[in-house]
Amino acid sequence: KGVLSLNRIRPLSIRLAHKVTSTILRIKRWMAFLVLQVEGQGRLSGALGVLRLPGVGQVSTVFLLATLAFSMMEGVFSLYLLTRFFGGTGAISGTLTELALKGDEAAQTAGRWTGGVFVTIGLVATIVQGGLIGPLRRRFGEAKLSVVGATFLSASLGAVPWVGSLGWIFPVMAVLAFGNGLLTPCLSSLISQVAPADLRGEVIGVYQSLGSLARTLGPFLGGTLFEQLTPGAPFGVSSVLMAVAVLTSLGLLSLKLSTEGAPPTPTEGV
């Protein structure tokens, strides 16, 4: 029994440490891509030059913050449910899947609830992006919807640690999914509209690479906050990041947008 207990104690920091090397290598590859030279455009020099283009930096910043915040939440959500509502010790007992496979009843229950929550997120996002986003875009425009979406994300992420019962997790996460469903396609459209026609490929490349970088850092940062501070810390920090995104997105309201020649941008999920 003692040996089994020792085998179950796998600190989150140890697992995170094993990911540091691969994370650094990924970041180096992305930074090499980001430091591109745009031929024939003396005003641009690498990714920083791309991000200085009017509107591009603002849209990209909102996307980076939103992706980072969502990835932080996603990376620790199952362990949060385990420790918050099922009396588990997710911070020191390995992943939820590992515990469930070992017959941990609390982990199995938390896993079922986590699955239900993410199914809810998927359904709400499908409804928003599959039917609501078109009419809402035509009536309000992408910039206003981006502000609303970022606001919903900030509010819902900040509310998670204050939820006192499992039943309230679903409506809170439904609000999160609604906000994400508004924000993601609107940002994808906006980045095409603010990018100059002759630099659209480079701009979208940098934009998508920032999202990939955020998805790599998010779980690492969320896990560190979960273990070193409190289980609710990743949600609080994510909410603050989205509050910054809201303030940044307000600047999008004053942008002069043009859709001339702008091809549809593939929606990259946050």
Side-chain angles (χ1 to χ4, degrees):
K1 184 177 180 180
V3 174
L4 179 60
S5 298
L6 288 175
N7 288 335
R8 290 184 60 183
I9 299 176
R10 298 183 57 196
L12 187 59
S13 57
I14 294 177
R15 300 199 309 278
L16 292 173
H18 285 300
K19 296 180 181 179
V20 169
T21 301
S22 61
T23 298
I24 292 176
L25 291 175
R26 283 184 177 184
I27 293 173
K28 288 177 69 175
R29 287 198 297 269
W30 283 320
M31 290 306 294
F33 171 77
L34 288 173
V35 183
L36 53 89
Q37 299 295 325
V38 183
E39 297 181 0
Q41 299 292 332
R43 59 198 177 95
L44 295 177
S45 178
L48 291 179
V50 171
L51 294 175
R52 290 192 189 102
L53 290 169
V56 172
Q58 290 168 295
V59 176
S60 298
T61 298
V62 175
F63 179 61
L64 175 67
L65 292 173
T67 306
L68 183 60
F70 194 91
S71 298
M72 288 172 63
M73 176 281 297
E74 196 174 34
V76 301
F77 186 77
S78 59
L79 287 176
Y80 175 78
L81 288 187
L82 178 63
T83 56
R84 177 71 171 81
F85 296 107
F86 298 101
T89 53
I92 64 171
S93 301
T95 66
L96 196 69
T97 302
E98 290 171 338
L99 292 177
L101 289 175
K102 291 176 182 177
D104 189 303
E105 186 175 347
Q108 292 172 350
T109 304
R112 288 192 292 269
W113 276 88
T114 301
V117 168
F118 279 101
V119 166
T120 301
I121 291 176
L123 288 175
V124 174
T126 299
I127 292 172
V128 174
Q129 297 185 6
L132 296 179
I133 192 66
L136 290 174
R137 266 180 174 172
R138 288 189 291 272
R139 181 169 183 178
F140 300 105
E142 288 90 347
K144 289 182 180 179
L145 291 181
S146 295
V147 175
V148 173
T151 302
F152 282 177
L153 276 170
S154 180
S156 56
L157 286 167
V160 171
W162 300 97
V163 172
S165 65
L166 275 169
W168 281 102
I169 283 287
F170 283 95
V172 169
M173 299 308 284
V175 172
L176 180 145
F178 182 78
N180 185 53
L182 289 179
L183 183 63
T184 302
C186 287
L187 291 178
S188 295
S189 177
L190 285 170
I191 197 66
S192 287
Q193 295 181 53
V194 299
D198 58 333
L199 297 175
R200 189 164 291 124
E202 288 83 354
V203 169
I204 293 176
V206 170
Y207 174 85
Q208 294 179 339
S209 293
L210 290 175
S212 298
L213 181 62
R215 277 187 288 275
T216 297
L217 294 177
F220 178 85
L221 295 176
T224 302
L225 292 169
F226 183 96
E227 183 186 18
Q228 299 300 325
L229 296 179
T230 67
F235 302 95
V237 172
S238 295
S239 178
V240 172
L241 291 176
M242 287 311 304
V244 175
V246 171
L247 296 177
T248 305
S249 65
L250 290 174
L252 302 177
L253 299 175
S254 61
L255 291 177
K256 294 182 179 180
L257 303 176
S258 173
T259 58
E260 290 184 9
T265 306
T267 300
E268 186 174 350
V270 171

